[in-house]
Amino acid sequence: MEEHVLAAVERATTRPSERYDTITVRPISPVIGAEVSGLDLATELSDAQLAEVRRAFLAHHVLVFRDQVLSAEDHKRFAGHFGELRRQPLADLDGGDPAILEISAGRDSRFVAGEDWHTDGTAEAEPSLGSMLYVTRTPEIGVGGDTLWANMHLAYEMLSPPMRAFLDGLTAVHDGLIPWQGHTPPPEYVVPKSEHPVVVRHPETGRRLLFVNAGFTSHIVQLSRVESRALLDMLFDWVAQQPILSCRVRWTPNTLVFWDNRCTQHHAVWDYYPHSRYGQRVTINGSRPTG
């Protein structure tokens, strides 16, 4: 690795000593992700417990809670401690709970949501703070269906100083039609489109991060079509081809994962066809990204 890359990784892995009094936090990788134990999310958590979950969330960006038996109300109550719950845009079509999105795949599936690296909903003017996915059924074969998350702070910091300087101040368009390529969205669906900075600051920590993704970003406003395509393809490949940026979560039944959508990308691995997996996702409203 080049010196500036090694320096960025070293900074990301050198954290002040973490101490938690009410939970146990075990990192999954040096740069992103942690397993949290010592909590029953079906119960009302204390202020001290919630404060430590928040601190771990900002430090690790992805938190994994295993062996949780939750009702839909438990799921929503826990998520509600971190912000207002997002109403799913197509919830009225199926008559389900507007705060819960069902995530399922099986023998009849021809695609699954999130197969490519992406950040959820960046075509929205105010993308989400994060989501909590609660998986209750994993593939019958006993393996498969992992999800990877990548640290977009580190993705930015590992770029060369001239590239970081070039990206600062650029903006990109995020188009909600991109995930629908090859499919037709329902007529009731209002397709979002927004322009966001290419480099933004995390609203709570102020730390800079790369904010473009293959799932929604169509082009960079200040560049020509050819220049934009070349730069975006490089940045998309940068995330996909740098394993050091990511952690891999292996799902077990009754696992809940809470991720910070503001500073991560994720990739759902569909390697279990024709077997099935089922979960429910609750999303927390966020704010407009700022540079």
Side-chain angles (χ1 to χ4, degrees):
M1 291 186 188
E2 297 183 17
E3 287 299 322
H4 70 273
V5 173
L6 291 172
V9 174
E10 185 173 5
R11 287 194 299 271
T13 58
T14 304
R15 298 193 186 99
S17 179
E18 295 179 337
R19 176 177 175 178
Y20 297 91
D21 296 322
T22 66
I23 59 176
T24 299
V25 178
R26 181 171 62 85
I28 299 172
S29 86
V31 301
I32 185 171
E35 299 226 6
V36 177
S37 57
L39 295 178
D40 179 359
L41 302 182
T43 64
E44 186 61 66
L45 302 182
S46 69
D47 290 344
Q49 290 171 319
L50 287 169
E52 294 203 327
V53 170
R54 289 176 190 275
R55 183 156 58 90
F57 180 64
L58 293 177
H60 297 280
H61 318 311
V62 179
L63 301 182
V64 181
F65 303 84
R66 298 199 183 273
D67 301 319
Q68 302 291 328
V69 180
L70 306 177
S71 67
E73 293 306 312
D74 295 332
H75 191 176
K76 291 189 293 183
R77 182 183 63 249
F78 181 47
H81 288 297
F82 300 89
E84 181 183 10
L85 303 188
R86 173 159 296 186
R87 183 185 181 91
Q88 304 303 325
L90 302 180
D92 291 337
L93 301 181
D94 59 17
D97 188 320
I100 293 178
L101 177 66
E102 294 188 340
I103 306 289
S104 64
R107 181 180 296 274
D108 296 331
S109 300
R110 294 298 173 261
F111 69 95
V112 298
E115 284 187 81
D116 298 316
W117 283 103
H118 68 288
T119 300
D120 289 338
T122 58
E124 302 282 349
E126 297 184 346
S128 67
L129 176 153
S131 289
M132 294 183 179
L133 177 57
Y134 178 50
V135 169
T136 53
R137 186 173 72 242
T138 54
E140 304 84 38
I141 195 173
V143 293
D146 297 351
T147 303
L148 289 78
W149 275 271
N151 182 332
M152 301 311 294
H153 292 299
L154 185 56
Y156 172 74
E157 292 161 0
M158 284 173 54
L159 294 168
S160 67
M163 179 56 72
R164 295 199 302 269
F166 177 63
L167 295 177
D168 290 345
L170 298 179
T171 61
V173 171
H174 297 243
D175 189 343
L177 273 181
I178 292 177
W180 291 93
Q181 290 180 3
H183 306 275
T184 302
E188 299 87 352
Y189 180 55
V190 178
V191 179
K193 181 184 286 189
S194 299
E195 185 176 334
H196 299 305
V198 170
V199 177
V200 306
R201 289 187 180 273
H202 192 284
E204 294 188 68
T205 67
R207 188 177 171 191
R208 289 184 175 185
L209 62 113
L210 185 64
F211 199 71
V212 294
N213 68 95
F216 289 98
T217 309
S218 64
H219 64 280
I220 295 175
V221 174
Q222 293 80 10
L223 303 182
S224 71
R225 180 181 59 83
V226 173
E227 292 169 337
S228 172
R229 186 73 270 149
L231 180 56
L232 285 177
D233 285 345
M234 184 276 287
L235 294 174
F236 299 159
D237 289 344
W238 183 247
V239 174
Q241 297 176 9
Q242 296 285 344
I244 199 167
L245 293 174
S246 63
C247 68
R248 188 179 187 112
V249 174
R250 290 177 168 83
W251 294 95
T252 52
N254 298 329
T255 295
L256 182 142
V257 175
F258 178 24
W259 69 91
D260 192 333
N261 195 56
R262 302 166 295 186
C263 62
T264 65
Q265 289 189 29
H266 58 281
H267 168 52
V269 180
W270 193 28
D271 58 354
Y272 51 93
Y273 182 86
H275 302 283
S276 62
R277 193 186 75 166
Y278 177 82
Q280 296 184 332
R281 191 180 77 188
V282 170
T283 297
I284 303 160
N285 284 338
S287 57
R288 180 179 288 276
T290 59

